[in-house]
Amino acid sequence: NFQILSPTEHRGRRQTQSQEMEESSQDIFIIALSFAYFSKALTGTYMKSSVTQIERRFDLSSTHVGLIDGSFEMGNLLFLAVVSHFGAQLHRPRLIAAGCLLMAVGALLTGLTHFFMGLRHKSKTCCERESSSHMWIYVFLGNALRGIGETPVTPLGISYIDDFAKAENSPFYIACLQTITLLGPMFGFLLGSYCAKLYVDVGYVDMESVTITPKDSRWVGAWWLGFLISSSLLLVSSIPFWFLPRSLPKQGDETDTPTPPSLTLDGAESAQRFLPSLKRLLGTPTYFLFLCAAILKFNSFIGLLTFKAKYMEQQFGQSASRANFLIGVLNLPAVAVGIFLGGLLMRRYKLSVVSGAQLSFATSFMGYLLLLLQFGTKCDNRPVAGLTVSYNGTQSVSYNGEMLFSDCNRDCSCSPNEWDPVCSDSGITYVSPCMAGCLDSSGRGKNTVGRQILLKVSTSARLGQCPHAKDCSRSFTSYMAVSVLSSFINSLGATPGYMVIIRCITPDLKSLALGIQTLVTRTLGGIPAPVYFGALIDSTCLKWSIKKCGGKGACRIYDSNMYRIIFLGLITCLSGTSYFFMIAVIVLLKRQFWKADRDIKLQQRKASKESGIMVQLETQEKSGAGSTSPKLSSDKTDSTGVGKDLEG
């Protein structure tokens, strides 16, 4: 049976089908953008988790690794302003797709560098080693490409959602994006943990012949594998955006006309309006002081995030795999829960701007006090003959290579540049079997044992450094407990702090304020922080590796006491200084909003008085019109009575 529809019914059915397709496109866009956010966050944190592996693979200092890590921000900032300005005029979903594709190419280039260099265990001539020593530039370029590709994803994705979503739905969609984004870093560190456990040339070498373990400072994990996996995820995330429309109708809009993208002004007019707006923005004391605090906090955060796993390796003797695993399983979930509860507190108690700033300051300062406790959770230097202890067993840190020799091994023709540590029965580590006086060996691979040590402290030695003392494990447990609690408390103030910057300025400057904050914090925090953190960490190195063709390579052992003081000291100094700016922000906000509240109350009182006078005049006019007497004024009681009668 065929149903004959009237033109009105036919038009209604077509409109219903069109609305269903539009809703489907909206859902697809939100799901695709969430997956893109997840993929880019996973890749970014995987890069952070692979810092130690890249440093050892390319024989780099921490300063060079910090420069490589900062290349992402360099590429991102290079195109951020251009994409944000012109992106709204173009096909935004396809721009996002192109960005995801470029990030995939960048991650792929980073991972393929391992194959450009060839197998690590394979012997090479000096010239071949020299040419491969500059291969880290490909990692630098791949990371920069990933930064360029990331530029359209966040600003254009958020603006696209804001254009089609209802005002009440937009915050919910953005909150979903942020929640899913938090899963990316967790899986990034877990992937880093898994890859760090695998040997760099896995599948190409007999693992029984490998004489080092993941805790050895020469161990290099399969860092390249994670970049190939993340590149595949980014490639998949780009596919749906190619098939989405340029724009969508506003939710709840009955017409089928799509919401046009935001219009932009021509270059000259835009520049004329930009400079006065920027001057107004930076001339707002509250915003400027908050920006200074944000720069300092972001510096400390980037330095901590970049080198936290390495700190756990050097201070507590953890492997890179275990350090990344614990960060992904303990610290990041605590941060996610803290951010969620912070937003819940803002919504539940409807905190004002001043209350939000106070909550952000209080939680951040409590986390800061917990950070100070980490100075007490430490492990002493491992006893290494000639570096952290003398050959007679006394504690003394030495940066002088001549101290590696003693009367017992001075005539053995040992190389001071060699790093092949052995652990003696006495618990002291020697930088090489030669320095320990080993004459022969037994066993194979990791189980090799050197015998007939010439020094009078022991009779045999095993490959690898001696482990930390037993009380070090208790210190590490205390460190992780304080670290997780500090992460949770710090993150409670993240959402209130973000709301402060939105509400402390006029609405017309809101977008510019967020853009300037992103630009400035990344320029002054994201780029330099890994470099100067790495340079200060390098200053605590006791023994550098020497490349086959000469030149300084990666650090093999650090002075753990100085490492702790410099690393934690730099973080606490940066964070501590930011609180002076935050206190000033709270004082200014109190003045600003208390004055605004007072003005509003005065205006309300004035308006109520004026409305009362108007009501009284209207009542008098009505009473005068209803009276038969020619007098304009009458007795107050009579006019009031007439007024009441009229109102009744």
Side-chain angles (χ1 to χ4, degrees):
N1 295 327
F2 295 96
Q3 184 180 1
I4 300 175
L5 300 177
S6 66
T8 305
E9 290 175 333
H10 184 68
R11 189 165 51 251
R13 178 167 291 187
R14 286 181 58 190
Q15 188 173 355
T16 303
Q17 291 175 349
S18 175
Q19 288 176 352
E20 289 176 354
M21 291 180 64
E22 290 158 5
E23 290 176 1
S24 176
S25 297
Q26 293 165 6
D27 293 340
I28 291 172
F29 181 83
I30 292 170
I31 293 171
L33 190 64
S34 299
F35 186 66
Y37 269 49
F38 170 82
S39 301
K40 74 182 183 69
L42 182 147
T43 311
T45 48
Y46 179 77
M47 179 70 195
K48 299 286 186 187
S49 72
S50 302
V51 161
T52 305
Q53 314 304 319
I54 293 172
E55 177 182 330
R56 295 171 183 172
R57 182 67 179 94
F58 298 94
D59 268 331
L60 301 174
S61 65
S62 297
T63 309
H64 282 91
V65 173
L67 182 64
I68 292 173
D69 186 69
S71 64
F72 175 85
E73 303 292 352
M74 297 177 194
N76 191 272
L77 294 173
L78 194 62
F79 289 91
L80 183 63
V82 176
V83 171
S84 299
H85 184 77
F86 295 104
Q89 302 177 14
L90 305 174
H91 198 300
R92 285 177 289 180
R94 289 184 183 172
L95 270 179
I96 295 172
C100 292
L101 186 61
L102 193 58
M103 284 193 288
V105 172
L108 181 64
L109 176 61
T110 303
L112 289 179
T113 309
H114 165 74
F115 299 97
F116 298 160
M117 294 183 69
L119 299 181
R120 184 170 186 258
H121 74 284
K122 187 178 178 181
S123 60
K124 301 176 183 177
T125 65
C126 186
C127 294
E128 288 175 332
R129 287 180 179 274
E130 191 65 33
S131 63
S132 65
S133 64
H134 299 293
M135 285 288 180
W136 63 269
I137 295 174
Y138 288 106
V139 181
F140 180 93
L141 293 175
N143 208 35
L145 273 178
R146 199 167 53 81
I148 295 171
E150 198 264 351
T151 49
V153 178
T154 299
L156 299 188
I158 296 295
S159 66
Y160 194 84
I161 289 175
D162 198 51
D163 279 348
F164 75 71
K166 290 181 181 178
E168 61 268 22
N169 290 341
S170 182
F172 173 74
Y173 292 144
I174 294 172
C176 289
L177 284 174
Q178 299 299 335
T179 303
I180 294 171
T181 302
L182 289 173
L183 296 175
M186 184 174 70
F187 282 93
F189 274 106
L190 292 178
L191 180 62
S193 172
Y194 174 75
C195 293
K197 195 183 299 183
L198 303 174
Y199 188 60
V200 61
D201 292 331
V202 61
Y204 296 95
V205 296
D206 178 15
M207 292 306 297
E208 289 296 324
S209 65
V210 178
T211 59
I212 55 177
T213 65
K215 287 190 175 183
D216 195 291
S217 61
R218 294 165 294 171
W219 176 272
V220 179
W223 60 275
W224 51 272
L225 181 60
F227 285 107
L228 299 185
I229 293 172
S230 58
S231 175
S232 303
L233 291 174
L234 288 166
L235 181 62
V236 171
S237 71
S238 70
I239 295 173
F241 294 106
W242 296 109
F243 304 99
L244 289 168
R246 178 169 181 163
S247 58
L248 292 169
K250 191 79 172 177
Q251 285 181 345
D253 191 357
E254 297 298 327
T255 62
D256 288 337
T257 55
T259 304
S262 304
L263 298 175
T264 56
L265 303 171
D266 59 77
E269 189 176 353
S270 179
Q272 289 176 358
R273 295 188 60 176
F274 173 76
L275 293 177
S277 297
L278 182 63
K279 186 176 179 180
R280 279 177 56 206
L281 183 64
L282 297 179
T284 306
T286 308
Y287 176 79
F288 182 77
L289 291 172
F290 189 87
L291 191 62
C292 293
I295 291 170
L296 292 169
K297 287 291 288 184
F298 196 68
N299 271 266
S300 66
F301 171 74
I302 290 296
L304 176 65
L305 183 64
T306 304
F307 294 106
K308 183 179 177 67
K310 182 172 182 174
Y311 175 77
M312 292 163 66
E313 294 173 48
Q314 298 298 328
Q315 184 65 217
F316 302 103
Q318 302 296 312
S319 66
S321 175
R322 180 170 169 77
N324 288 325
F325 177 80
L326 292 174
I327 293 172
V329 170
L330 297 178
N331 286 90
L332 293 178
V335 170
V337 173
I339 291 175
F340 175 76
L341 291 180
L344 204 62
L345 285 173
M346 286 284 291
R347 181 180 177 183
R348 173 69 178 81
Y349 296 102
K350 298 179 181 178
L351 299 179
S352 63
V353 181
V354 178
S355 300
Q358 290 172 334
L359 176 62
S360 179
F361 174 80
T363 55
S364 180
F365 191 71
M366 287 174 64
Y368 177 76
L369 294 178
L370 287 172
L371 179 64
L372 296 178
L373 294 178
Q374 294 183 15
F375 280 97
T377 56
K378 62 178 182 176
C379 292
D380 294 327
N381 281 315
R382 293 180 180 182
V384 180
L387 293 177
T388 60
V389 295
S390 63
Y391 277 86
N392 58 17
T394 58
Q395 298 285 335
S396 62
V397 176
S398 172
Y399 291 84
N400 185 4
E402 289 298 321
M403 297 299 294
L404 292 172
F405 296 98
S406 70
D407 294 335
C408 298
N409 61 19
R410 197 172 296 277
D411 297 327
C412 296
S413 301
C414 301
S415 171
N417 298 331
E418 187 179 1
W419 177 261
D420 188 16
V422 292
C423 175
S424 68
D425 291 342
S426 63
I428 295 179
T429 300
Y430 297 90
V431 297
S432 68
C434 182
M435 290 291 187
C438 290
L439 298 181
D440 65 1
S441 63
S442 64
R444 182 172 180 267
K446 301 182 182 70
N447 300 316
T448 304
V449 177
R451 299 187 184 281
Q452 295 183 4
I453 292 183
L454 297 180
L455 302 180
K456 297 179 181 179
V457 293
S458 183
T459 57
S460 66
R462 286 189 174 275
L463 291 177
Q465 289 181 259
C466 297
H468 276 286
K470 290 183 178 180
D471 60 346
C472 185
S473 60
R474 290 195 295 270
S475 296
F476 180 63
T477 303
S478 302
Y479 167 80
M480 285 306 301
V482 172
S483 174
V484 171
L485 186 59
S486 175
S487 300
F488 171 73
I489 294 176
N490 253 314
S491 58
L492 278 173
T495 303
Y498 186 77
M499 297 307 296
V500 168
I501 198 170
I502 294 176
R503 296 179 182 174
C504 73
I505 51 175
T506 55
D508 60 310
L509 296 177
K510 189 183 299 183
S511 298
L512 180 62
L514 293 173
I516 293 296
Q517 187 208 15
T518 302
L519 180 69
V520 172
T521 52
R522 286 188 167 187
T523 304
L524 302 181
I527 296 174
V531 177
Y532 66 75
F533 264 85
L536 290 172
I537 289 171
D538 285 339
S539 68
T540 68
C541 183
L542 296 176
K543 182 74 172 71
W544 292 94
S545 67
I546 302 298
K547 299 177 182 179
K548 294 289 184 181
C549 303
K552 188 170 66 174
C555 184
R556 296 307 186 196
I557 185 172
Y558 295 87
D559 178 2
S560 60
N561 288 326
M562 283 302 298
Y563 192 129
R564 184 185 74 259
I565 292 170
I566 287 179
F567 182 65
L568 296 180
L570 188 56
I571 293 170
T572 52
C573 286
L574 290 169
S575 297
T577 308
S578 70
Y579 295 127
F580 292 104
F581 292 100
M582 280 302 300
I583 291 171
V585 167
I586 292 172
V587 171
L588 289 174
L589 284 174
K590 281 184 175 180
R591 291 179 181 176
Q592 176 183 344
F593 285 94
W594 282 355
K595 183 180 178 182
D597 290 342
R598 187 183 61 187
D599 292 343
I600 290 171
K601 288 179 180 178
L602 288 174
Q603 289 177 359
Q604 288 176 346
R605 289 177 184 173
K606 186 177 179 181
S608 63
K609 287 181 180 178
E610 290 177 353
S611 63
I613 294 171
M614 292 298 295
V615 168
Q616 187 175 0
L617 290 173
E618 289 176 2
T619 304
Q620 290 177 358
E621 288 176 0
K622 290 178 182 177
S623 62
S627 174
T628 55
S629 172
K631 293 196 308 181
L632 291 175
S633 62
S634 60
D635 183 68
K636 185 177 179 180
T637 306
D638 294 337
S639 65
T640 305
V642 173
K644 288 181 179 179
D645 292 338
L646 290 171
E647 291 175 0

